Amino acid sequence: GNSVTQMEGPVTLSEEAFLTINCTYTATGYPSLFWYVQYPGEGLQLLLKATKADDKGSNKGFEATYRKETTSFHLEKGSVQVSDSAVYFCALIRAAGNKLTFGGGTRVLVKP
Amino acid sequence: GAVVSQHPSWVICKSGTSVKIECRSLDFQATTMFWYRQFPKQSLMLMATSNEGSKATYEQGVEKDKFLINHASLTLSTLTVTSAHPEDSSFYICSASVTNTGELFFGEGSRLTVL
């Protein structure tokens, strides 16, 4: 079956530090890959996505590249802000459907 | 982007009562809506897929008589937690699929606390 594995948190960083959250997946076919962000007390928001191998998704300074050879979709940001404190979820959708499979989520805390 | 709204955002109820949570797509029609449950510090677990005008499809291990889902229109799906117990306390999130693109949008979630 499909699965998504991401690094466990919490990840605590200082402002302006570099952030990487690892995400690897197992899926049949060619899934689309997503990163969602959940701010405290809110629902999920789509952060970025990539639909095919070597695609790079980017938004709000965050980037992730779809690496089929390593089945990975690591999230990176060069300089985090306090406002980036949230829980980040890596997810996939199989090519043939629209059910999202989520990773366990990684809580990120950015301190001033 | 499209907006999905859930109501209520917070609900506290007594054990044994039933609670209804609404999920509305405000500016688009959603043929398919999904209901998720999120336990503290854990990921989202898909509970069921709700299709307008038909019965919901439940994931393995989810009690369909416990979690009643109705998708009566293209803009509204409801989740009713029947005879709620403290172990049903959780954060429930819905998402709606835009009919022509399949893109998913999430509601803000509803936190249920059963006393």
Side-chain angles (χ1 to χ4, degrees):
Chain A
N2 303 321
S3 67
V4 177
T5 303
Q6 58 183 106
M7 58 190 292
E8 289 189 21
V11 174
T12 303
L13 302 165
S14 297
E15 212 166 16
E16 299 184 2
F18 186 88
L19 170 68
T20 298
I21 304 176
N22 290 338
C23 170
T24 56
Y25 68 90
T26 302
T28 56
Y30 300 92
S32 294
L33 303 175
F34 304 81
W35 277 100
Y36 283 86
V37 58
Q38 184 179 32
Y39 297 105
E42 300 183 15
L44 272 71
Q45 301 174 27
L46 178 63
L47 181 59
L48 54 85
K49 66 179 181 181
T51 57
K52 61 183 188 296
D54 299 326
D55 267 2
K56 177 185 284 188
S58 61
N59 185 27
K60 299 181 180 180
F62 289 89
E63 292 184 342
T65 301
Y66 190 146
R67 301 287 189 197
K68 189 163 179 62
E69 64 275 14
T70 54
T71 62
S72 65
F73 192 53
H74 305 322
L75 182 68
E76 297 181 336
K77 185 172 185 180
S79 177
V80 294
Q81 305 299 314
V82 172
S83 57
D84 294 323
S85 298
V87 181
Y88 294 82
F89 292 94
C90 186
L92 69 82
I93 287 181
R94 289 185 302 114
N98 57 1
K99 287 185 182 180
L100 276 168
T101 299
F102 285 93
T106 303
R107 184 175 300 275
V108 173
L109 176 61
V110 181
K111 295 184 175 181
Chain B
V3 178
V4 175
S5 177
Q6 283 184 239
H7 178 80
S9 300
W10 295 81
V11 56
I12 300 173
C13 69
K14 293 182 179 180
S15 186
T17 61
S18 295
V19 175
K20 179 185 287 186
I21 300 170
E22 295 184 346
C23 177
R24 294 182 183 272
S25 55
L26 297 185
D27 49 2
F28 67 100
Q29 293 184 333
T31 307
T32 304
M33 290 185 173
F34 302 88
W35 286 96
Y36 296 84
R37 182 174 179 176
Q38 185 181 25
F39 292 98
K41 300 184 180 181
Q42 295 187 32
S43 187
L44 281 74
M45 180 191 76
L46 179 64
M47 299 174 66
T49 302
S50 168
N51 292 296
E52 186 268 335
S54 64
K55 290 183 179 180
T57 302
Y58 290 81
E59 296 299 303
Q60 191 173 7
V62 178
E63 299 176 63
K64 60 181 180 181
D65 295 329
K66 173 76 169 175
F67 299 99
L68 300 179
I69 292 173
N70 182 279
H71 193 161
S73 76
L74 287 172
T75 60
L76 173 64
S77 176
T78 60
L79 167 69
T80 301
V81 182
T82 62
S83 187
H85 289 91
E87 58 266 29
D88 299 325
S89 299
S90 193
F91 195 54
Y92 293 89
I93 300 176
C94 74
S95 69
S97 173
V98 178
T99 301
N100 55 347
T101 67
E103 190 170 357
L104 288 173
F105 294 91
F106 285 80
E108 64 271 32
S110 299
R111 185 166 300 283
L112 170 64
T113 301
V114 184
L115 303 177

